[in-house]
Amino acid sequence: MPNSPGNSPARPVVLGSSSPYRRELMGRLRIPFEVEVPDVDETPRSGETPRDLALRLALAKARVVAQRRPGAVVIGSDQVADLDGEPLGKPGTHERATAQLRRMRGRTVVFQTALAVACAETGFEQADIAPVRVTFRDLSDREIETYLRAETPYDCAGSARSEGLGIALLEAIESDDPTALVGLPLIRTCRLLRAAGLMLP
């Protein structure tokens, strides 16, 4: 991948995501940014690992928006729940969320949260991944049903929204980037934005 362009003039920052959770996290950095929704097919490829899938999709999202906005520094991110090498995406429905949580109860799941930053005008492109190990409690069917009715986390990979009631489903979270589980690893985001030439606190 191309190296950092060094200190460049101030460029617009664009978050290539439809996620309200990533938008909220970006707001914590207190830098101006815009949001553009990338149109990317998220279907896993045959034999693709959850880690590779998350990285590919994060890069694809950043590249799609960077082509539309060549002068901007674009952030793409994706998260895939990894259960023993099998990717678990967003459930979309109550029934699928129930099935996911039943499979994950009493187990450790790795949430692969990938990040990519790209600028078409400078040729800058870098990606990183923040794996988060999440151990679920041995949940009863009643606990799963109560949680899903209360939270409706059907747009979250693995059906567990840790920033809300989903935290009650868990035994432990292990990560070196605290916001990665919510969907955007901010330590790595700051690192890649600086590498792209942006000034951050």
Side-chain angles (χ1 to χ4, degrees), residues 101-107 136-137 139-141 144:
L101 288 173
R102 284 176 176 168
R103 290 187 63 197
M104 294 187 297
R105 57 186 167 193
R107 309 278 300 279
F136 284 79
R137 293 173 43 244
L139 304 164
S140 68
D141 286 349
I144 290 171

Side-chain angles (χ1 to χ4, degrees), residues 37-193:
V37 178
D39 184 15
V40 172
D41 181 0
E42 299 190 9
T43 306
R45 294 174 179 170
S46 177
E48 191 171 36
T49 67
R51 183 181 190 279
D52 289 346
L53 172 61
L55 277 169
R56 176 173 64 82
L57 293 179
L59 279 163
K61 291 174 182 180
R63 287 168 178 165
V64 163
V65 177
Q67 289 305 309
R68 290 187 217 148
R69 302 285 303 275
V73 173
V74 179
I75 300 162
S77 187
D78 195 80
Q79 184 180 77
V80 179
D82 181 346
L83 180 61
D84 297 333
E86 178 187 347
L88 301 178
K90 299 170 185 173
T93 68
H94 183 85
E95 293 71 27
R96 288 179 187 152
T98 300
Q100 281 189 351
L101 288 173
R102 284 176 176 168
R103 290 187 63 197
M104 294 187 297
R105 57 186 167 193
R107 309 278 300 279
T108 296
V109 180
V110 180
F111 285 77
Q112 305 283 6
T113 306
L115 168 74
V117 172
C119 179
E121 203 167 81
T122 64
F124 178 87
E125 183 180 278
Q126 285 188 19
D128 201 352
I129 194 155
V132 184
R133 290 176 56 83
V134 177
T135 302
F136 284 79
R137 293 173 43 244
D138 189 10
L139 304 164
S140 68
D141 286 349
R142 182 179 178 181
E143 285 176 310
I144 290 171
E145 181 68 13
T146 300
Y147 166 69
L148 291 177
R149 293 296 179 191
E151 195 90 316
T152 62
Y154 309 134
D155 60 344
C156 296
S159 308
R161 190 176 290 151
S162 65
E163 65 274 27
L165 183 59
I167 200 72
L169 307 181
L170 310 180
E171 287 284 358
I173 299 172
E174 300 172 51
S175 174
D176 66 357
D177 207 330
T179 60
L181 188 55
V182 183
L184 187 67
L186 287 182
I187 291 174
R188 286 166 172 80
T189 299
C190 290
R191 184 185 303 151
L192 293 193
L193 289 176

